[in-house]
Amino acid sequence: MSGIYLVSIIFLGISWLVSMRLKSKFSAYSQVPLQNGMSGKEIAEQMLHDNGIYDVKVISVEGQLTDHYNPMDKTVNLSQDVYYGQHVSAAAVAAHECGHAVQHAQAYNWLMLRSRLVPLVQFSSNIVQWVLLAGVLMVNAFPQLLIAGIVLFAATTIFALITLPVEFDASKRALVWLQQTRITAGQTHEKAKDALHWAAMTYVVAALASVATLLQYVFILMGNRDRED
């Protein structure tokens, strides 16, 4: 059990470092204005329209780095700094979230698969930690409980892994469009690319942490079986 805590602490530290780096990058690139003076809202709307999408709304939401695309109500939700911002960070984030809207409109396979897993992951996330804890404590008397916990946690791990191609593809679509439209060019485009790179790293760390934790629980189960043999 101590190994699981150690892995969690290590990845929490890595996640914190990546998150701080991401915030630092976005803060720095928020000081780099776009030559055309477009806001994140205007950029998002133009990217949607350029891709033939007219049934998605671009709205402003509270918070920092709370930007996301909601496929349920077809809204691109931009934090206020991105929504009103006329800088490289706003352009990168707005275009990235619209990348998800384009994926949805084109029925991008990885996004469709991730969407189908959402109900299962929501159910699993509500109970998995309790099932795993009980499973570890009762591994000798009732190993089936730990197996159930591993299966539930595996669902969240698969979800985290599937999220990676979804996020990388959205960033790729965003950067191609930003370059084609010359909204970002030269150094500003490199800065937009760097910002999205660090945003993607947060998902990479989360996926690796999930895989490492899952393996720890599998090792506990296998170790118990070896003792029984």
Side-chain angles (χ1 to χ4, degrees), residues 121 124 128 148-161 210 214:
V121 172
S124 174
V128 65
I150 289 172
V151 171
L152 289 171
F153 195 83
T156 64
T157 300
I158 291 170
F159 186 83
L161 291 172
S210 189
L214 176 63

Side-chain angles (χ1 to χ4, degrees), residues 128-147:
V128 65
Q129 294 301 330
W130 298 108
V131 175
L132 284 171
L133 178 59
V136 170
L137 294 175
M138 301 174 63
V139 66
N140 294 320
F142 189 32
Q144 293 84 356
L145 187 59
L146 180 56
I147 293 174

Side-chain angles (χ1 to χ4, degrees), residues 166-179:
V166 174
E167 294 299 326
F168 281 112
D169 180 76
S171 289
K172 180 180 178 181
R173 293 172 189 264
L175 290 169
V176 168
W177 180 81
L178 286 171
Q179 191 167 44

